[in-house]
Amino acid sequence: MTVHDPLAPHSHEPNPLPPSPDADLTVHLPDGAAHRITPAALRRLDFVPTGRLSAPAARAMQVTVPNCYIVSTGHGTSGPFSFTGLRLLDLVDLLWPCDWTQVEVVSADGFGTRALRTELTQPTQRPVILAHTLDRQPLSRAEGLVRLIVPSETDDALRQVKWVAHVRIISDT
Ligand SMILES: Nc1nc2c(c(=O)[nH]1)N[C@H]1C(S)=C(S)[C@@H](COP(=O)(O)O)O[C@H]1N2
Ligand SMILES: [Mo]
């Protein structure tokens, strides 16, 4: 029997249609706890325990990354797009501000990628984000809501994960 690993190298042929209308994602913490986050909560950051974040601080956490391209091997490039969302690093630090080494991001159609702490903590103007907005309009489910955007990936789109369903924070300790 072959078991499909969503983090293993995957096909360049993108799935064009959302696997389901449900755009919520679940963040899994190293201790086994899970937080279900709606796209609206990702915009307002109201999944964060009260008292940990002021409203202005929450607004300041929304990041826009301009000039993003979806470079699809074999079937062309689209863009430029301006994506807005929450830094993956900020999501992790808000929910598990301790020891962690990597984060797995997996879609509802079984497509995923992994980001190491060293990558996510690198200072950059073009951070990895969980995008809910495209060119200042709410990202539609068909466009990938919620979509992982990895601006540093410019050769193919294998890390630009549409329909993120699971974010798994991993601690090796
Ligand atoms: N969830 C999910 N994300 C995915 C894929 C997929 O099949 N499922 N395909 C990838 C590939 S191979 C490409 S080329 C791009 C296509 O993005 P687009 O549909 O926005 O053009 O999405 C990437 N992200
Ligand atoms: Mo692709």
Side-chain angles (χ1 to χ4, degrees):
M1 192 182 86
T2 51
V3 179
H4 172 70
D5 174 2
L7 296 166
H10 22 58
S11 127
H12 282 281
E13 212 42 65
N15 187 356
L17 291 173
S20 81
D22 176 11
D24 293 1
L25 58 91
T26 303
V27 182
H28 306 266
L29 307 185
D31 65 0
H35 290 260
R36 197 174 168 98
I37 299 176
T38 64
L42 194 65
R43 288 189 182 94
R44 294 192 302 258
L45 298 191
D46 51 13
F47 61 88
V48 179
T50 23
R52 287 219 40 214
L53 198 63
S54 67
R59 273 194 299 280
M61 270 195 185
Q62 299 296 330
V63 170
T64 296
V65 186
N67 296 313
C68 296
Y69 291 87
I70 303 294
V71 180
S72 176
T73 314
H75 35 101
T77 295
S78 60
F81 300 117
S82 162
F83 284 103
T84 303
L86 179 66
R87 275 186 205 90
L88 186 58
L89 176 64
D90 285 338
L91 176 86
V92 174
D93 281 344
L94 286 167
L95 293 176
W96 191 264
C98 14
D99 54 312
W100 58 274
T101 52
Q102 53 177 290
V103 186
E104 292 174 358
V105 178
V106 178
S107 71
D109 62 331
F111 188 98
T113 192
R114 185 190 307 281
L116 300 182
R117 184 178 186 136
T118 45
E119 175 185 9
L120 294 180
T121 53
Q122 203 74 33
T124 175
Q125 295 292 105
R126 300 179 65 74
V128 176
I129 62 173
L130 284 167
H132 49 64
T133 297
L134 164 61
D135 292 337
R136 312 221 163 258
Q137 302 297 319
L139 190 64
S140 70
R141 183 67 176 153
E143 290 165 335
L145 183 71
V146 168
R147 185 168 198 169
L148 186 76
I149 295 297
V150 181
S152 62
E153 185 203 45
T154 53
D155 51 348
D156 58 35
L158 295 175
R159 301 185 77 196
Q160 317 299 322
V161 180
K162 299 186 277 190
W163 314 306
V164 171
H166 299 281
V167 174
R168 199 171 296 277
I169 302 171
I170 294 170
S171 158
D172 289 341
T173 53

